[in-house]
Amino acid sequence: MHQPVVTPVHKPVVTPVSTPIRATAGSTAVRAEVHAPQLSYLQPVPRHMVHRAAIAEVFLTDAVRTDEHSFLVAAQWPRDHALYSPGSDGTSDPLLFMETIRQALVYLAHAYYDVPLTHRFIGFGSEFEITDPAALRIGGEPVPVVLEAEWAWVGNRPPHRFGMRLDVVLTVAGRACGRGALHVVAVDDKRYAMLRGRGAKPRGVAVTGPAPRALERVHPAAVGRLRAKDSVLVRERTDTPWQLLIDVEHPIFFDHPSDHVPLMVTLEGFRQLGHLLLHPGDMARGAGHGLLGMEVDCQAFGELDAPIDLVVRERQPDTGSGTTRMTLDAVQNGTSVATCRTLWGAQAADGTAHPAHRAPVSSTA
């Protein structure tokens, strides 16, 4: 989550809704009634407001305030995407949800809470869970989604340091189908440099990745991707850990210069390793597991110039619910930089989900 070239702040036209959102997850009638007249899907929000350089990677289209710290945020998910391609079950890539949460938090911070465009955003933790995968099945048009968002300040010390958390409920056509959250801090350049130490780079300066190594990427089909450039797993030998391939030339993972590994790159590494382990090579096409949720704690910056090992700490299948929990660590120079708890739901050979997949992402939840 980094700041691109600064341009003037876009201030949205806010149309207050008549009734603040107080609906439960099952109150789809209330959701449908409130969403429709308030949100536009005509065009994306300005790219600098969600820290994106490419217009094609902006999914947010609108946002309105419904209460002091409550919002409705509209986004349009593409029917297909170079990176976030649909799953074998015909549903939208779940990491589109996480990227939409990220964009929503950044947009609301700048547009509604006056967090300066020059501040650097640092992720502390993120999570999402798809509770109704069928609602995300792709049809004949791009998927219009709404996030019912609640904003909270966490460890907030403005104007130099803003601490914030956004909790959201994902809905499609008024149908609640997921939940998620993101916790970040936004700091000025001085405090960012203090946090980064020697790893800090001036804003906008071109970055370089680790020295090239003679390691082949895992075949994209084995990690659920379509293009070779989107596979982020490499391995030196069969008895060594899988590693996160850091490609600073990737047009989506590194949409703009960054002096460390972006959160979404690390999430993609966790997702791809889970997919690889849960989809043996001899498995029927379309069978296996679909990603239902992730819960990530970030402990340190992932540096660009050293290998990052991806290690499976725990794997817990549940044949009764058809789910598998997997806990993974991203380790660099012997230190954990992130821990991820994932939830996967079993799929049949035709790509349909196991009928009893509901389970929380965290086993302690």
Side-chain angles (χ1 to χ4, degrees), residues 8 10 16-17 34 37 69 110 139 152 169 171 173 233 235 237 260 321 337:
H10 167 72
V17 297
V34 175
H69 297 299
H110 294 317
V169 172
T171 68
L233 294 187
R235 199 180 200 181
R237 301 187 311 273
H260 63 276
S321 66
V337 297

Side-chain angles (χ1 to χ4, degrees), residues 4-284:
V5 176
V6 175
T7 54
V9 175
H10 167 72
K11 287 291 186 181
V13 177
V14 180
T15 305
V17 297
S18 57
T19 305
I21 292 298
R22 288 290 185 270
T24 64
S27 303
T28 56
V30 175
R31 285 192 162 93
E33 178 184 350
V34 175
H35 293 170
Q38 302 302 324
L39 297 169
S40 170
Y41 295 87
L42 293 178
Q43 61 186 10
V45 301
R47 57 193 172 92
H48 70 283
M49 294 291 284
V50 294
H51 298 188
R52 277 301 188 188
I55 296 175
E57 299 308 317
V58 179
F59 303 128
L60 259 61
T61 63
D62 199 8
V64 295
R65 190 176 228 143
T66 61
D67 206 342
E68 182 180 5
H69 297 299
S70 301
F71 303 86
L72 298 179
V73 182
Q76 186 185 76
W77 291 354
R79 296 172 65 194
D80 202 355
H81 187 271
L83 175 63
Y84 301 122
S85 55
S88 59
D89 59 353
T91 61
S92 295
D93 188 317
L95 284 190
L96 272 174
F97 183 22
M98 193 65 247
E99 172 60 16
T100 303
I101 297 172
R102 186 199 68 79
Q103 292 188 16
L105 181 144
V106 174
Y107 181 80
L108 295 176
H110 294 317
Y112 290 93
Y113 291 104
D114 295 323
V115 175
L117 285 165
T118 51
H119 273 39
R120 311 280 192 110
F121 283 63
I122 304 167
F124 272 51
S126 64
E127 60 185 90
F128 74 86
E129 182 180 4
I130 304 299
T131 56
D132 184 2
L136 300 181
R137 190 171 300 278
I138 297 170
E141 297 179 346
V143 181
V145 305
V146 173
L147 302 185
E148 298 180 7
E150 294 289 335
W151 182 279
W153 293 112
V154 183
N156 195 40
R157 294 192 293 275
H160 306 296
R161 181 189 190 277
F162 296 85
M164 62 206 84
R165 177 184 170 99
L166 191 69
D167 287 86
V168 308
V169 172
L170 171 68
T171 68
V172 176
R175 178 176 173 181
C177 53
R179 50 162 293 276
L182 179 61
H183 173 205
V184 309
V185 297
V187 296
D188 59 20
D189 282 344
K190 179 180 178 180
R191 282 157 183 77
Y192 182 78
M194 293 171 60
L195 288 170
R196 291 291 288 121
R198 291 180 298 175
K201 298 289 188 299
R203 188 187 304 275
V205 170
V207 296
T208 57
R213 294 179 294 158
L215 299 177
E216 291 188 9
R217 302 172 190 255
V218 174
H219 192 282
V223 292
R225 301 293 84 193
L226 298 177
R227 307 183 303 175
K229 68 166 63 177
D230 297 333
S231 172
V232 299
L233 294 187
V234 295
R235 199 180 200 181
E236 295 183 6
R237 301 187 311 273
T238 57
D239 61 342
T240 58
W242 293 100
Q243 292 183 348
L244 181 65
L245 187 146
I246 302 170
D247 179 6
V248 298
E249 301 298 324
H250 195 285
I252 300 175
F253 289 140
F254 285 84
D255 168 79
H256 54 275
S258 171
D259 64 9
H260 63 276
V261 179
L263 172 64
M264 294 303 294
V265 177
T266 307
L267 293 185
E268 184 64 23
F270 287 137
R271 183 256 288 275
Q272 290 191 16
L273 181 53
H275 184 99
L276 179 69
L277 297 176
L278 292 170
H279 293 76
D282 59 352
M283 182 175 287

Side-chain angles (χ1 to χ4, degrees), residues 277-278 289 312-328 340-346 359-365:
L277 297 176
L278 292 170
H289 287 69
V312 177
R313 186 199 303 177
E314 189 176 25
R315 178 173 171 175
Q316 298 178 314
D318 184 337
T319 56
S321 66
T323 61
T324 295
R325 303 181 195 278
M326 191 178 299
T327 302
L328 309 98
C340 183
R341 293 166 290 279
T342 61
L343 177 67
W344 300 78
V361 175
S362 173
S363 59
T364 59

